[in-house]
Amino acid sequence: MATRLNHGNTQPVSTLPDRVATPLRHTPRALLASLVLALLAACAGNDEMPDIAADSGEAQIYRQAERFLDSRNYNMAVRSLQALESRYPFGKYAEQAQLELIYAHYGALETEAAIEAANRFIRLHPQHPNVDYAYYMKGLAATAADQDILSRFLPLDKTTRDVTYAREAFAEFSQLVSRYPDSAYAADAKARMVYLRNLLARHEINVANYYFRRGAYLAAANRGRYVVENFQRTPAVADGLAVMAQGYILLGKDDLAKQATETLALNFPDHPALEKGGSLRSEYTLEGEQRSLINRLSFGLFDPPRPPQFDSRDSD
């Protein structure tokens, strides 16, 4: 029996928001611009130290840290804020400096340090009026944690990379939304969650395609089913159904293959894996597979057929 799915809004977030409202003086700037400038500052001044006199007062050090943040010299801002906290751990600027330190680490591309600083602030000040900012910055830092130089400047497909940090980022944004639904950052966090959810779903399809190449058809079909069951309202659901249909066909599970194909045809009739009549195209079936001599002689044990890969994004 074919099942009609809840499509919902399946458009992925192609770009992340540039700015968000914040009760703090500083807000996350445009992501790419911030990373580029921070990288240049890091390369130019790794050995530079902020000029902090031994008799500098708390307000003076804080103003210096503010100037570094305003000029996007995040490495110097980190050192100034650390010096402020070290000298005046119970001063009037201590809590604000801890919040600013999260952002400074993030701007300096020190994502692990930003996450740790956010965790520390949440642990020390769970009732602080701006604790939602710490949760939000944890999500931002986790999102950026797996980025290398190439991924920052080249349009690489993030769904083919390790998604551990993407899962962590999704969890952090989810905490923010559930704990502080009225937060100034909630709307942006929800948009990022949609983007991350689409990314995680597409990653599962990529893994299924890998299993198809390895001849692990059951593992591939299970990945497709996981997408359909756990990532509703994402664009990858269509490919998840196609993966299930092909996997079950290659496994000889005709009833399950028929059900998956009918569901795909009902909900996504224009999917590139389907014929006009709603059946799966021959190249995705056993009839469309050309088994090698080694595969036939080994009764399917070696050199399994390698069916076409699923990625309906190419047809959008």
Side-chain angles (χ1 to χ4, degrees):
M1 175 78 63
T3 305
R4 183 169 294 281
L5 304 177
N6 184 357
H7 293 231
N9 179 12
T10 60
Q11 293 300 318
V13 177
S14 58
T15 58
L16 300 182
D18 290 339
R19 298 177 65 88
V20 293
T22 172
L24 302 177
R25 176 176 178 181
H26 296 284
T27 60
R29 274 78 169 184
L31 184 59
L32 182 59
S34 177
L35 294 176
V36 171
L37 291 175
L39 180 63
L40 294 176
C43 294
N46 281 338
D47 298 328
E48 184 183 355
M49 289 293 293
D51 184 16
I52 302 175
D55 60 348
S56 296
E58 180 184 9
Q60 182 180 356
I61 300 176
Y62 181 74
R63 285 195 296 269
Q64 182 182 54
E66 290 284 279
R67 287 193 294 272
F68 284 133
L69 286 171
D70 288 339
S71 63
R72 300 184 182 181
N73 191 341
Y74 299 115
N75 289 287
M76 295 301 100
V78 166
R79 296 177 185 182
S80 295
L81 291 167
Q82 288 175 336
L84 174 62
E85 187 178 4
S86 176
R87 294 187 188 184
Y88 304 97
F90 304 106
K92 61 183 293 187
Y93 296 100
E95 292 182 4
Q96 180 69 15
Q98 291 171 9
L99 277 172
E100 300 273 20
L101 186 60
I102 302 170
Y103 176 74
H105 279 306
Y106 174 76
L109 309 183
E110 299 169 349
T111 54
E112 293 291 347
I115 293 172
E116 176 56 34
N119 283 330
R120 180 169 176 264
F121 185 88
I122 293 170
R123 184 173 65 253
L124 295 175
H125 313 288
Q127 304 302 320
H128 193 280
N130 292 334
V131 71
D132 58 332
Y133 176 80
Y135 281 101
Y136 177 70
M137 289 304 298
K138 279 179 68 178
L140 287 186
T143 302
D146 66 339
Q147 294 182 354
D148 53 26
I149 295 296
L150 289 178
S151 64
R152 292 189 185 108
F153 300 107
L154 297 178
L156 302 179
D157 187 356
K158 294 183 179 181
T159 68
T160 62
R161 302 166 63 88
D162 179 53
V163 294
T164 300
Y165 283 109
R167 291 193 181 96
E168 292 181 9
F170 185 90
E172 299 299 345
F173 289 132
S174 179
Q175 277 202 68
L176 168 64
V177 171
S178 62
R179 289 171 182 256
Y180 308 98
D182 298 325
S183 168
Y185 313 102
D188 186 68
K190 290 178 182 178
R192 293 173 187 270
M193 288 172 67
V194 172
Y195 166 82
L196 291 168
R197 197 162 179 267
N198 290 342
L199 184 152
L200 293 172
R202 177 54 54 185
H203 176 76
E204 293 296 322
I205 299 299
N206 290 336
V207 174
N209 286 333
Y210 168 79
Y211 284 138
F212 275 132
R213 292 194 299 270
R214 302 285 296 183
Y217 304 137
L218 179 59
N222 286 340
R223 289 284 180 161
R225 185 180 66 187
Y226 181 80
V227 170
V228 173
E229 293 177 351
N230 295 279
F231 292 99
Q232 284 287 321
R233 307 172 73 89
T234 67
V237 168
D239 283 342
L241 286 166
V243 164
M244 292 174 62
Q246 177 174 314
Y248 291 141
I249 285 177
L250 296 176
L251 289 167
K253 298 180 180 293
D254 296 336
D255 291 341
L256 292 176
K258 182 174 183 293
Q259 180 178 348
T261 303
E262 289 178 349
T263 303
L264 175 64
L266 176 63
N267 291 275
F268 307 97
D270 296 326
H271 193 278
L274 293 174
E275 300 281 6
K276 290 185 178 180
S279 60
L280 207 63
R281 295 169 64 92
S282 61
E283 59 263 34
Y284 293 97
T285 67
L286 284 174
E287 289 77 9
E289 293 296 331
Q290 298 297 322
R291 299 177 60 190
S292 68
L293 178 61
I294 294 177
N295 183 257
R296 292 196 298 271
L297 292 176
S298 63
F299 299 99
L301 184 60
F302 298 109
D303 193 25
R306 288 170 174 77
Q309 305 298 287
F310 289 105
D311 192 344
S312 58
R313 294 177 298 177
D314 296 337
S315 63
D316 292 342

